[in-house]
Amino acid sequence: MAKERQAQMTGMISNTDLGKAESHTQAQQARILIAAKACFVESGFHCASVANIAKTAGMSPGLIYRYFENKNAIIFAIIEQQLLESRNKIRALRAADDLGPAVLNYLDSSDGSSDESVGTSLFLEMSAEATRDSEIAEALGRYDNAMRVELADLLNRSASGGDKKPTTPVAPERVLALVCMIEGLMIRKAREPNLDRKALKSAIDIIINSLLN
Amino acid sequence: MAKERQAQMTGMISNTDLGKAESHTQAQQARILIAAKACFVESGFHCASVANIAKTAGMSPGLIYRYFENKNAIIFAIIEQQLLESRNKIRALRAADDLGPAVLNYLDSSDGSSDESVGTSLFLEMSAEATRDSEIAEALGRYDNAMRVELADLLNRSASGGDKKPTTPVAPERVLALVCMIEGLMIRKAREPNLDRKALKSAIDIIINSLLN
Amino acid sequence: MAKERQAQMTGMISNTDLGKAESHTQAQQARILIAAKACFVESGFHCASVANIAKTAGMSPGLIYRYFENKNAIIFAIIEQQLLESRNKIRALRAADDLGPAVLNYLDSSDGSSDESVGTSLFLEMSAEATRDSEIAEALGRYDNAMRVELADLLNRSASGGDKKPTTPVAPERVLALVCMIEGLMIRKAREPNLDRKALKSAIDIIINSLLN
Amino acid sequence: MAKERQAQMTGMISNTDLGKAESHTQAQQARILIAAKACFVESGFHCASVANIAKTAGMSPGLIYRYFENKNAIIFAIIEQQLLESRNKIRALRAADDLGPAVLNYLDSSDGSSDESVGTSLFLEMSAEATRDSEIAEALGRYDNAMRVELADLLNRSASGGDKKPTTPVAPERVLALVCMIEGLMIRKAREPNLDRKALKSAIDIIINSLLN
DNA sequence: CATGAATGAGGATTCATTCAT
DNA sequence: GATGAATGAATCCTCATTCAT
C-alpha cells in the first residue's frame, strides 16, 4: 500500500508499530503518543511542533485535537506514560537475584524503541519541565515517593540475602543514595553514550555493595 | 538616576551588580548573560524570549544582537559559563580535608544568585539540550573528561589520607561512581527541593566511604 | 431510551419538540433549524459552529450536510424562517382592535422558545448580515416592502376607526415612522432587557396616537 | 513614494488620512482603528481577520499586537470610539434650533469616512455583540443612560421653545420614544440605503411633533 | 440514512531578528 | 552605541466540509 510505504520512508509510524489497542480512540492516542515521544526526544517538549507530531504520526494536525485537548495534554500523557514504564521496570527488578546486574539491566532496558537513549532524554526533559510546572512537579513527586518505597523494599530483601523477613528495615539514606546513583547513571548514559560498559558495571557494583552491608 | 531606580524596582539588573569588566563590551555581555541566566532558569532555554532577556538586562532587544550573534550564542555562552563555574567549584574541593562535607557544600554553593537552585536548573537544561545539539554535547563531553581527571585526583589524595604521592592511581570506576552520585544528587535537589539535609548528608557519606577504601 | 434522556439533560432537541412535519426530510430540516436558531442566538451566525449545531440537534455533523448544502444555507433558511414568522405576527395585528397593545404584544411574542429575546437577537444578526450579503439584503428588502403594505393597511383601518373603507389612504411617511418605532423598540429590548414596561407602553401610545390623527 | 502609491491602489490607509496624533503610539493605534473599522464594516467583527486589518493598515500582522493586546481589544476600542462619536453628535444637536432637521442631520453625519453607512453598520455589529458579551453590554448600557439624559435635556429645551427654564421636566417615555425612533431610523438607513429622503424627513417630523406638545 | 473520523485551510498570536533613526 | 518599531515566519488551534463505513 502506497501510504504504508511512504510512512516508512519518511519515518512516519505505521499501524504495525502500534500493538493492540482496544478501541480506535486508544489506538489513535497511542499512535500520537509514539509520534510525540519521537518528536520530543528529537526536539524537546517546546520545540517539537504539533504539526511535526502530526506528520510523524501520519495524520493531519487537526486530528491531534480530537484525541488530546492541546499540546500540553500530550506532554502530560507522555510524562505519565514514562513514569508508568519506569515504575514497571523498577518493579521488575524485584525478581532479580542480584541487584547489580539488575540495575545495569534497568539502564539498558528501552521501551521498544530502537534508540535506547529515549528514556534518558525524556527523563531530562521531564525533570527540567518539573522545575517550572508545578503540576508536572507533583506527578514526579508522587512517582519519586512510590519509587523510594519500591527501592527500600528491594534493598531490604537484597540485604537479607533473599530472606523474606529482614531483621531491620533499610535506612532512608541508603534508598536516597540508590536513587541518586541510578539517576546519575542515566545522566551519564545520556551524556556519554559510548561509556565503557565494564566501568559502568564496576561502578554500580561498588555502590550497591556499600549499600548492602 | 531614575533609570537605575526603576531597574531595581522591576528586578532588572543594574550596573552595580556586574562587577568589574575590563571593556564596555565585556560589561555588556556580562549584563546580558546575567539576565539570560535568570530567564533561562525561569522559563528554560527555549521559552525564554530575547525580549524578556533584554528587559531583564535593562536594555533594548536590538542591543542584544550587538553583543551576541543570536539567541543560540547566548545559550552557548551560558553553558560555557556554567561549565567554567562548575569546574572552579570542583577544583575548590581540593582544598577540603574531608570529601563528604565538601560535596555537600558543592551542591549548596550557588553562583552568587540568591536562588540556590540556579545551578541545578541550568544543569538539567544543558543536559537536555546536549542530547539534541552536538556542539553542546561536545562541550559537555570536554567538561566531563576534565572533571574526571579532577575527581580522580581528588579521590586519590583523599584515599591516601592527604599524602602528596598515592601509591596506586584510583580506579576509573570509582570516579564514575562519584560523578554519578554528584549528578544524581543534583537531580534530587531539583526534584525535591525540601529534601531532608541529614539524609542527604548520610547518603553522601555512605557512598564516599565506599569509594575511599 | 438512553439517547433521548441524554438529549434532554444536555439541552439537545428531542423528537417530541418538533411538531408534525410531513416528510422525514422536513422533520430533519426542522430539527436542524431549531438547533441552529438556538446556537445563532447564543453565539451569532459566525461563531456558532456546525459541530455545535449538530450536537444541539442531536445528530452527527455529517448529517447536517444531507439536509443543507452548507452552513450558509442554514443561515439563509433561518433568516427566511424568521421573516416568515415576523410576517405572520404582523398579520396577526390586523385582528387587534387597538394598535398600541397590539404592538406591545408583537414585541413580547416569542416564537415558542422560552427565551423572548430570540427574535430580537436574530433580528440584529440578520440586519448586520444584510449589510454584507446582498442576497440577504434582498430578502430583507422584500420583507420590508411587504411589511409596509401590511402596516399601511393596519394604519388605514385603525385611523378610520375600524371602518372597512377609509376615505384617504395613509401617508407613506406614517408607515415609515411606524416601522422605525417598532424596530427601534426591538433594539431597545435587546440592549435593555429590563426596560420598564410601563414606560414602554406609554412610548408606544404616544407615537401610535400621533400616527392616527 | 512607491509605498504610498501601493497603499492607495490596494485600499490601504495612507498617513495623510490619519490627522494629527500626538505620539507615534497614538498615530499607530489610530491607523489600526481606521483599518479595523473598515474591515469590521466589510466583514463583521468576527469574520474580519487580524491579517486583513494589518494589510488594510499597511503594516505587518505582528505589529498590531504592539498596539493592541489582542483582537478583542481592537473591537472594544472601536466600540468605545463609536460611542464617543455618537455622544458628540448627539451633543451637537443641542445647538440646533429645530429638532427635526437636527435628527435628520444626525443620521446623515458620517465620521469622515466616505461611506455614510459605516456608523449604522457598526451600530448593528455592536448591538448584536452586546447580546453575548456582558462587558460590551455594560458599555452600551452606560452610553444609553448618558444619551437618555442628553435627549431628555434636548426635548426639554425644544418643548419650552428654547427658554432656559422649562416649566415641567420631560416624561421618560418621550425620551424612550425618541431613542427608538432614532435607532429605528438607523436600521432603516442600513436596510434601505435609497430611502426617499422626503419621506424620511416627514416621518421624523411627525414623531418629533408628537413628542413636543 | 447516519455516523464521526479525517482533512487542511485559515485564524490569532508570538518571537527571533533587522534596521532606520 | 543604543533604541524600539517593524517584519514575517512559525506556532497552536478551530472548524467547515468530506467520505469510508
Side-chain angles (χ1 to χ4, degrees):
Chain A
M1 177 200 180
K3 200 172 183 179
E4 188 73 10
R5 191 179 300 123
Q6 186 205 1
Q8 286 176 3
M9 289 190 306
T10 57
M12 293 194 308
I13 292 159
S14 70
N15 277 311
T16 54
D17 296 334
L18 260 38
K20 297 296 163 202
E22 280 144 33
S23 71
H24 177 68
T25 294
Q26 285 173 328
Q28 291 290 66
Q29 284 174 338
R31 180 192 282 273
I32 291 167
L33 288 181
I34 290 171
K37 183 149 67 174
C39 293
F40 289 156
V41 167
E42 185 167 321
S43 321
F45 285 158
H46 296 295
C47 289
S49 73
V50 173
N52 198 38
I53 293 173
K55 189 156 61 165
T56 307
M59 58 176 65
S60 68
L63 195 53
I64 298 273
Y65 292 87
R66 175 176 286 270
Y67 299 103
F68 291 93
E69 197 179 347
N70 50 32
K71 185 181 164 182
N72 240 336
I74 300 178
I75 294 177
F76 285 147
I78 288 282
I79 288 175
E80 298 242 329
Q81 196 185 52
Q82 285 305 108
L83 293 183
L84 187 63
E85 266 179 31
S86 183
R87 213 173 298 212
N88 290 336
K89 287 198 292 180
I90 294 278
R91 285 208 181 108
L93 296 185
R94 277 194 196 175
D97 286 340
D98 210 350
L99 195 50
V103 167
L104 189 60
N105 197 47
Y106 170 81
L107 290 174
D108 285 346
S109 66
S110 77
D111 39 27
S113 341
S114 55
D115 185 355
E116 294 189 8
S117 72
V118 165
T120 314
S121 176
L122 290 176
F123 169 74
L124 286 171
E125 207 62 43
M126 286 159 48
S127 300
E129 201 60 19
T131 65
R132 291 166 226 131
D133 183 311
S134 64
E135 202 174 343
I136 293 178
E138 276 170 36
L140 296 207
R142 282 192 299 275
Y143 166 82
D144 283 340
N145 288 334
M147 277 315 91
R148 256 208 265 274
V149 171
E150 206 75 48
L151 289 176
D153 185 52
L154 194 60
L155 276 180
N156 248 346
R157 285 180 303 106
S158 291
S160 58
D163 292 351
K164 301 294 176 195
K165 303 260 174 181
T167 48
T168 58
V170 71
E173 58 264 27
R174 292 180 179 242
V175 180
L176 178 58
L178 181 57
V179 170
C180 290
M181 190 201 56
I182 290 178
E183 289 174 353
L185 285 163
M186 293 187 71
I187 300 254
R188 275 306 95 195
K189 249 193 62 179
R191 277 167 62 160
E192 303 182 75
N194 302 321
L195 208 57
D196 177 44
R197 282 189 70 78
K198 217 164 271 178
L200 204 63
K201 192 166 171 7
S202 304
I204 292 174
D205 284 338
I206 293 172
I207 296 181
I208 295 287
N209 284 336
S210 76
L211 293 178
L212 289 184
N213 50 24
Chain B
M1 177 198 177
K3 200 170 184 182
E4 189 71 11
R5 191 180 299 123
Q6 187 204 1
Q8 286 176 2
M9 289 191 305
T10 57
M12 293 193 307
I13 293 161
S14 70
N15 277 311
T16 55
D17 296 334
L18 261 36
K20 296 298 163 200
E22 281 145 31
S23 71
H24 179 66
T25 294
Q26 285 172 326
Q28 292 288 64
Q29 285 173 336
R31 181 194 281 274
I32 292 167
L33 290 180
I34 290 171
K37 181 149 67 175
C39 292
F40 289 157
V41 167
E42 186 167 320
S43 320
F45 285 158
H46 297 294
C47 289
S49 72
V50 173
N52 198 38
I53 293 172
K55 189 157 75 167
T56 306
M59 61 176 61
S60 68
L63 195 51
I64 299 270
Y65 288 83
R66 179 174 291 273
Y67 299 104
F68 291 93
E69 195 182 346
N70 52 31
K71 186 180 166 183
N72 241 337
I74 300 178
I75 294 176
F76 286 148
I78 286 283
I79 289 174
E80 299 242 327
Q81 195 185 54
Q82 285 304 108
L83 293 183
L84 187 63
E85 266 179 31
S86 184
R87 214 173 299 211
N88 289 336
K89 288 197 292 179
I90 293 278
R91 284 206 182 110
L93 296 186
R94 280 194 195 173
D97 288 338
D98 208 350
L99 195 50
V103 166
L104 190 59
N105 198 47
Y106 171 81
L107 289 175
D108 286 345
S109 67
S110 76
D111 38 25
S113 340
S114 53
D115 186 355
E116 295 189 9
S117 71
V118 165
T120 315
S121 177
L122 289 176
F123 170 74
L124 285 171
E125 208 62 42
M126 286 159 48
S127 301
E129 203 59 19
T131 65
R132 291 167 225 132
D133 183 311
S134 63
E135 201 175 344
I136 293 178
E138 275 168 37
L140 295 207
R142 283 191 298 275
Y143 165 83
D144 283 339
N145 287 334
M147 276 316 88
R148 256 207 265 274
V149 172
E150 207 74 50
L151 289 176
D153 186 51
L154 193 60
L155 275 180
N156 249 347
R157 286 180 303 106
S158 291
S160 59
D163 290 352
K164 301 293 178 193
K165 303 261 175 179
T167 49
T168 58
V170 71
E173 58 263 29
R174 292 183 180 240
V175 181
L176 177 59
L178 181 57
V179 170
C180 289
M181 190 200 56
I182 290 177
E183 290 175 352
L185 285 164
M186 293 188 71
I187 300 254
R188 275 306 96 194
K189 248 192 62 178
R191 277 169 61 160
E192 304 182 74
N194 302 321
L195 208 57
D196 177 43
R197 283 190 69 78
K198 219 164 270 178
L200 204 62
K201 194 167 171 5
S202 304
I204 293 174
D205 284 338
I206 293 172
I207 296 181
I208 295 287
N209 285 336
S210 78
L211 294 179
L212 289 184
N213 51 24
Chain C
M1 178 197 177
K3 199 168 181 181
E4 188 72 11
R5 190 179 300 124
Q6 187 205 1
Q8 287 176 1
M9 289 190 306
T10 57
M12 292 193 308
I13 293 160
S14 69
N15 277 311
T16 53
D17 296 333
L18 260 37
K20 296 298 164 201
E22 280 146 31
S23 71
H24 179 66
T25 293
Q26 284 173 325
Q28 291 289 65
Q29 284 174 338
R31 180 194 282 275
I32 291 167
L33 289 180
I34 289 171
K37 181 148 69 176
C39 293
F40 289 156
V41 167
E42 186 165 321
S43 319
F45 285 159
H46 297 294
C47 289
S49 72
V50 173
N52 198 37
I53 292 172
K55 189 157 76 168
T56 306
M59 61 176 61
S60 68
L63 195 52
I64 299 271
Y65 288 83
R66 179 173 293 273
Y67 299 104
F68 290 93
E69 194 182 346
N70 51 31
K71 186 180 166 184
N72 242 337
I74 300 178
I75 294 177
F76 286 147
I78 287 283
I79 289 175
E80 298 243 328
Q81 196 185 53
Q82 284 306 108
L83 293 182
L84 187 63
E85 265 179 32
S86 184
R87 213 174 299 212
N88 289 337
K89 288 199 292 180
I90 293 279
R91 285 207 181 107
L93 295 185
R94 280 195 197 174
D97 286 339
D98 209 350
L99 194 50
V103 166
L104 188 60
N105 198 48
Y106 170 80
L107 288 175
D108 286 345
S109 67
S110 75
D111 39 27
S113 339
S114 54
D115 186 355
E116 294 191 7
S117 71
V118 165
T120 315
S121 177
L122 290 176
F123 169 74
L124 284 172
E125 208 63 42
M126 286 160 48
S127 301
E129 203 60 18
T131 64
R132 293 168 222 131
D133 183 310
S134 63
E135 200 174 347
I136 293 177
E138 276 169 36
L140 296 207
R142 283 192 298 275
Y143 165 82
D144 284 339
N145 287 334
M147 275 318 89
R148 254 207 266 274
V149 172
E150 205 76 49
L151 288 176
D153 186 50
L154 193 61
L155 274 180
N156 248 346
R157 284 179 304 106
S158 290
S160 59
D163 291 352
K164 302 295 177 190
K165 304 262 176 179
T167 49
T168 58
V170 71
E173 58 263 29
R174 293 184 178 238
V175 181
L176 177 59
L178 181 58
V179 170
C180 289
M181 189 200 59
I182 290 177
E183 289 175 353
L185 285 164
M186 294 188 72
I187 300 255
R188 277 304 98 193
K189 247 192 63 178
R191 278 168 61 159
E192 305 182 75
N194 302 321
L195 209 58
D196 176 46
R197 284 190 68 78
K198 217 164 271 180
L200 202 63
K201 193 166 172 5
S202 304
I204 293 173
D205 284 338
I206 293 171
I207 296 181
I208 294 287
N209 285 336
S210 77
L211 294 179
L212 289 184
N213 50 24
Chain D
M1 177 196 178
K3 199 171 182 180
E4 188 73 10
R5 189 177 302 120
Q6 187 203 2
Q8 287 176 3
M9 288 191 306
T10 58
M12 293 194 308
I13 292 159
S14 69
N15 277 312
T16 53
D17 296 334
L18 259 37
K20 296 298 164 200
E22 279 145 35
S23 71
H24 178 67
T25 293
Q26 286 173 327
Q28 291 289 67
Q29 284 173 336
R31 180 193 281 274
I32 291 167
L33 289 181
I34 290 172
K37 183 149 69 174
C39 293
F40 289 156
V41 167
E42 183 167 324
S43 320
F45 285 157
H46 296 295
C47 289
S49 73
V50 173
N52 198 38
I53 292 173
K55 189 155 62 163
T56 306
M59 59 177 65
S60 67
L63 195 53
I64 298 274
Y65 291 87
R66 174 176 287 270
Y67 300 103
F68 290 93
E69 197 178 346
N70 50 34
K71 185 181 166 183
N72 240 338
I74 300 178
I75 294 177
F76 285 147
I78 287 283
I79 288 175
E80 299 243 328
Q81 196 185 54
Q82 284 306 107
L83 293 183
L84 187 64
E85 265 179 34
S86 184
R87 214 173 299 212
N88 289 336
K89 288 198 292 181
I90 293 278
R91 284 207 182 109
L93 296 186
R94 278 195 196 173
D97 286 339
D98 209 350
L99 196 49
V103 167
L104 189 60
N105 198 47
Y106 170 81
L107 289 175
D108 285 345
S109 67
S110 76
D111 39 26
S113 341
S114 55
D115 185 355
E116 295 191 8
S117 73
V118 165
T120 314
S121 176
L122 290 176
F123 169 74
L124 286 171
E125 207 62 43
M126 286 160 47
S127 301
E129 202 58 19
T131 64
R132 290 166 225 132
D133 183 311
S134 64
E135 203 175 343
I136 293 178
E138 275 169 37
L140 296 207
R142 282 193 298 274
Y143 166 81
D144 284 340
N145 288 333
M147 276 317 89
R148 257 207 265 273
V149 171
E150 206 75 47
L151 289 176
D153 185 51
L154 194 61
L155 276 180
N156 247 346
R157 284 181 303 106
S158 291
S160 60
D163 290 351
K164 301 295 176 190
K165 305 258 175 181
T167 48
T168 57
V170 72
E173 58 263 29
R174 291 182 179 241
V175 181
L176 178 58
L178 181 57
V179 170
C180 289
M181 189 200 59
I182 291 177
E183 290 174 354
L185 285 163
M186 293 187 70
I187 301 253
R188 275 306 97 196
K189 249 193 61 179
R191 278 167 63 159
E192 304 182 75
N194 303 321
L195 207 58
D196 177 43
R197 282 189 69 77
K198 217 164 271 180
L200 203 63
K201 191 165 171 9
S202 304
I204 292 173
D205 284 338
I206 293 172
I207 296 183
I208 294 286
N209 285 336
S210 77
L211 293 179
L212 288 184
N213 51 22

